[in-house]
Amino acid sequence: RELGIEVIEKRPNDPSGFKLLCKIPSFGFFYSLVPFSLYLTRFMKERHVSLVHSNTNFNSGIPALLAAKLLRIPCICHIRGYGRYSNFEIFLSRLVDRYICVAKYIKEILVNKHRIDSRKIKIVYNGVDLANFKPTKTKDILKKELNLNSDSQLIGFVSRLMLLKGQDDFIKAAKFVFDVFPLAKFLIVGDSINNNGSINSYLRTLAD
């Protein structure tokens, strides 16, 4: 919006109010995603959209994919993480025209586990705008601020604080690394959504 770009928010219908019907397999999918897909189809047709970029994991981008197929326009799916997909989602994933993966590991999963054509996949690592981000502190200055010895080996993890990002795995792995490299120190940098202190407390407890 700050750049003058139109932003419209629209969420799928929530089927949770239909408790009995929600017990029927796939009811939630058809109640929530099919109408939403049709809404997106009409929305994109009115605006003459020529390309769909689903900036999310595949299973959250099904409505955009279905709308793109109905309009016969290409769909790119930007995979930033990996979750478990149902057989139906795996089937639909073959309809995606191109994939962008942020890591080689994710590409390997798509190719080896889901049999996605590797020619459809490009790896584009998350970048940093060096024009806006210019670190001025050296590692020695940082170690001094953290009261660490100059010969300490500092290993950092920068991310939003949520278990999906893997801070808990980082802490668990740190214990094994420390056994081999006793001078290693581990630093987690980030903040939780809505200042949720529960994740902070959990990570601190796990680190103790």
Side-chain angles (χ1 to χ4, degrees):
R1 291 190 176 102
E2 294 178 354
L3 298 175
I5 300 174
E6 180 185 23
V7 178
I8 299 176
E9 297 182 8
K10 174 67 176 179
R11 296 178 179 273
N13 297 325
D14 182 5
S16 59
F18 299 86
K19 295 182 179 180
L20 292 178
L21 290 176
C22 281
K23 295 181 179 180
I24 301 175
S26 301
F27 169 75
F29 171 80
F30 287 104
Y31 179 81
S32 301
L33 299 185
V34 171
F36 190 45
S37 300
L38 295 176
Y39 163 81
L40 289 178
T41 302
R42 183 175 64 255
F43 176 87
M44 292 190 291
K45 184 176 182 180
E46 292 173 350
R47 287 162 175 75
H48 305 288
V49 173
S50 57
L51 174 67
V52 172
H53 176 245
S54 181
N55 189 31
T56 176
N57 289 339
F58 169 73
N59 54 356
S60 300
I62 291 178
L65 171 61
L66 294 178
K69 295 298 103 177
L70 288 173
L71 294 173
R72 297 183 179 181
I73 57 178
C75 178
I76 297 175
C77 194
H78 204 144
I79 308 293
R80 300 182 180 276
Y82 176 73
R84 295 181 178 178
Y85 300 152
S86 67
N87 291 334
F88 181 69
E89 291 166 341
I90 294 174
F91 169 76
L92 287 180
S93 68
R94 289 164 173 74
L95 300 178
V96 176
D97 295 282
R98 290 290 186 274
Y99 285 91
I100 298 175
C101 296
V102 298
K104 182 180 178 181
Y105 172 72
I106 297 176
K107 177 181 178 179
E108 291 175 349
I109 290 178
L110 293 180
V111 173
N112 299 327
K113 188 172 183 178
H114 299 318
R115 305 302 178 187
I116 302 298
D117 188 345
S118 62
R119 293 173 297 181
K120 285 187 173 184
I121 306 172
K122 294 294 183 182
I123 299 175
V124 180
Y125 298 107
N126 289 334
V128 175
D129 188 350
L130 296 179
N132 296 322
F133 181 75
K134 297 180 180 180
T136 57
K137 296 182 180 179
T138 65
K139 60 182 180 180
D140 293 331
I141 294 177
L142 181 59
K143 289 179 181 179
K144 186 175 180 180
E145 290 183 353
L146 297 174
N147 295 319
L148 300 177
N149 295 329
S150 59
D151 55 353
S152 296
Q153 298 167 317
L154 188 59
I155 303 172
F157 188 116
V158 181
S159 170
R160 185 170 67 249
L161 296 186
M162 57 186 304
L163 296 184
L164 181 64
K165 297 296 184 180
Q167 287 93 355
D168 53 340
D169 293 329
F170 176 75
I171 293 174
K172 294 174 184 177
K175 297 178 181 179
F176 294 99
V177 175
F178 184 75
D179 291 338
V180 181
F181 301 97
L183 295 179
K185 302 296 181 181
F186 303 87
L187 178 66
I188 295 179
V189 180
D191 199 0
S192 56
I193 300 176
N194 298 325
N195 294 319
N196 183 359
S198 60
I199 180 66
N200 302 49
S201 300
Y202 170 72
L203 293 176
R204 290 181 182 278
T205 301
L206 190 63
D208 290 339

